[in-house]
């Protein structure tokens, strides 16, 4: 019995040191694993810091920060929310762990309510075992993945909160611990530096593009490029400067109280180019009226009646005056599609002087074109005076001399030849006078004279020959727009009737402008058959009567028809 007791005691003493050694080895192994895990996390953190710090594109930096954060804390879902300039809501949301189909099903990114808004109002690390039980929780929208575990930390840039990192659901199903919070906070600190570098780089690049765009636009305008082409260039460069989906230039018509979208660039540009917008109930109307910029995250919500907002799915927008004060020419706008990035104050600070400089360049180009037009008009006036004072007078003197010689001629055939020469000189004087009147019309305007010539030229092929044309008097000066429109229609109808029915070999169109406007269309055709359709003649008669005039038809001596269309001018 004593022997057994002694042997039992020996075994106990042998087992006890063994148990203590196992515990020590287990604890040592646990500490080694913890140290190895800490070392691995530190290495992962350093790699993440190097990764986000090596990139200068802001969008790429934000994406890398979110991915690195999700990996470091072993989260299933991660997001980075960028806070707007107002400091109250999220204007951008970068996600990891959610597919594009799930994002589309959820809809718009969070605005910053509930738990996400709590971090905006109180930017301190927040760790929750079940976020649904928190008093600030407002639940999830439809089609949102279920989430319970939560860890959020703020990202600061120069002591200003840029945004927040949001992590949800550990991959192993556990809770986020204090070490996760420490690692994520350290990453957020490095992220703030990387974001600041990327923002500075982006602003520098924008300023370079801004300067290049100004130089390009000024050069194009002052070198004589057409204004509509320059407007397109302004829209292109504004979109590039602000990294926008769409940009457009809307010029103001004060008399009509509306804008004209003179140029557009980007997504949906072809759908709004040439669109007319009223000043009222539009985004541009407020900008133009009050001479101040407008920065909005939701263009449709701010101006639902705006035709552009109804035509295109735009969300964030920035509109600036195209010029200032009384010299404002309209509005320059950039916009992103719904769900796109919101424009910030940096973009506004760049776009405002860009629009101002573009407006100045456009104004200078207009003044240069005015000077060129004035110089051209002066040249035309000088040529007209030379023709009137020199050429016509010499022709008139020659005609008088020939008429005197004709009286002295004994042979009838000589007198007939001299008379024909006098008639030819008279016709030449009329043509020169017609040219003088044409020179007195502004070069950029399509004159009534040129429109009538175009109508006559159009009937050369149907007639088989070129009609004779003679215009006497101040056609473009004394004939107003209403009478001019009716006149063009009557000349076209008269020549059409000749081409279809007269079988003529000669047509003469004579227009005499004095107190009355008298149009004479004479042909050598077969005349107007009795009982024929008179709808065209009736239309011409009604046009004359509406202007207080009349239409007269008579037979031409020999054969053919003479049409007289006469309306008063005074």
């Amino acid at each position: 019995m004593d022997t057994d007791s002694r042997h039992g005691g020996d075994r106990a003493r042998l087992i006890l040191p063994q148990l203590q050694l196992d515990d020590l080895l287990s604890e040592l192994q646990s500490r080694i694993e913890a140290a190895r895990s800490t070392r691995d996390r530190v290495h992962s953190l350093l790699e993440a810091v190097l990764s986000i710090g090596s990139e200068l594109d802001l969008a790429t930096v934000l994406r890398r920060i979110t991915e690195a954060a999700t990996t470091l804390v072993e989260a299933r879902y991660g997001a980075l929310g960028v806070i707007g300039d107002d400091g109250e809501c999220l204007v951008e949301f970068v996600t990891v762990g959610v597919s594009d189909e799930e994002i589309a099903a959820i809809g718009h990114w969070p605005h910053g309510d509930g738990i996400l808004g709590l971090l905006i109002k109180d930017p301190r690390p927040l760790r929750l075992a079940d976020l649904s039980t928190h008093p600030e929780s407002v639940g999830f929208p439809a089609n949102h993945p279920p989430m319970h575990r939560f860890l959020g930390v703020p990202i600061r840039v120069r002591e200003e909160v840029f945004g927040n990192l949001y992590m949800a659901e550990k991959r192993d199903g556990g809770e986020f611990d204090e070490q996760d919070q420490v690692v994520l906070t350290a990453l957020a600190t490095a992220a703030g530096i990387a974001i600041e570098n990327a923002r500075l780089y982006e602003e520098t690049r924008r300023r370079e593009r801004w300067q290049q765009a100004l130089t390009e636009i000024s050069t194009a305008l002052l070198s004589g490029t057409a204004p509509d082409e320059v407007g397109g260039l302004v829209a292109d460069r504004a979109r590039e400067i602000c990294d926008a989906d769409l940009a457009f230039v809307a010029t103001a018509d004060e008399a009509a109280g509306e804008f004209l979208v003179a140029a557009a660039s980007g997504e949906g540009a072809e759908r709004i180019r040439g669109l007319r917008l009223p000043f009222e109930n539009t985004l541009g109307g407020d900008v133009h009226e009050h001479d101040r910029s407008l920065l909005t995250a939701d263009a449709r919500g701010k101006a639902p009646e705006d035709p552009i907002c109804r035509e295109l799915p735009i969300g964030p927008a920035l509109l600036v005056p195209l010029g200032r004060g009384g010299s404002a020419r309209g509005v320059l706008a950039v916009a992103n599609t719904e769900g796109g990035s919101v424009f910030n104050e940096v973009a506004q600070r760049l776009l405002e002087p860009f629009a101002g400089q573009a407006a100045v360049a456009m104004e200078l180009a207009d003044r240069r074109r005015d000077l060129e037009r004035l110089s051209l008009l002066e040249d035309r006036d000088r040529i007209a005076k030379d023709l009137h004072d020199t050429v016509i007078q010499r022709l008139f003197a020659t005609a008088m001399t020939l008429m005197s010689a004709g009286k002295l001629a004994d042979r009838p055939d000589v007198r007939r030849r001299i008379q024909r020469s006098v008639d030819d000189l008279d016709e030449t004087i009329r043509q020169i006078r017609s040219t003088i009147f044409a020179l007195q019309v502004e070069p950029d305007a399509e004159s009534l004279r040129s429109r009538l010539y175009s109508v006559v030229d159009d009937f050369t092929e149907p007639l088989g020959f070129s009609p004779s044309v003679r215009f006497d008097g101040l056609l473009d000066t004394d004939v107003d727009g209403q009478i001019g429109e009716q006149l063009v229609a009557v000349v076209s109808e008269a020549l059409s009737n000749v081409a279809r029915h007269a079988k003529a070999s000669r047509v003469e169109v004579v227009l005499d402008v004095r107190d009355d406007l008298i149009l004479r269309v004479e042909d050598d055709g077969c005349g107007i058959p009795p009982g024929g359709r008179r709808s065209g003649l009736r239309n011409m008669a009604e046009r004359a009567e509406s202007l207080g005039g009349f239409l007269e038809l008579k037979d031409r001596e020999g054969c053919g028809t003479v049409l007289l269309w006469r309306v008063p001018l005074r």
Side-chain angles (χ1 to χ4, degrees), residues 457-522:
D457 289 341
D458 289 341
F459 280 93
T460 298
E461 184 174 347
L463 289 168
F465 56 87
S466 298
S468 172
V469 182
R470 189 176 79 240
F471 296 154
D472 288 336
L474 300 174
L475 178 61
D476 292 299
T477 303
D478 291 350
V479 180
D480 62 28
Q482 181 183 6
I483 296 177
E485 291 296 327
Q486 301 286 9
L487 176 62
V488 170
V490 169
V491 171
S492 179
E493 182 66 31
L495 292 175
S496 177
N497 287 341
V498 174
R500 287 182 295 171
H501 308 298
K503 299 178 181 178
S505 60
R506 182 177 180 276
V507 178
E508 185 178 11
V509 179
V510 179
L511 193 60
D512 194 4
V513 182
R514 290 186 177 86
D515 291 340
D516 290 349
L517 183 149
I518 304 173
L519 169 67
R520 180 169 62 87
V521 180
E522 182 177 332

Side-chain angles (χ1 to χ4, degrees), residues 271-286:
R271 294 169 59 183
I272 65 171
R273 196 178 291 116
L275 195 66
R276 291 193 172 273
L277 318 171
F279 284 169
E280 298 181 357
N281 300 321
T282 57
L283 295 170
D286 184 66

Side-chain angles (χ1 to χ4, degrees), residues 18-34:
Q18 184 66 37
L19 289 174
Q20 291 176 345
L21 182 59
D22 289 343
D23 291 340
L24 288 172
L25 289 173
S26 296
E27 182 178 355
L28 179 60
Q29 185 175 2
S30 176
R31 288 174 181 262
I32 292 172
E33 290 296 331

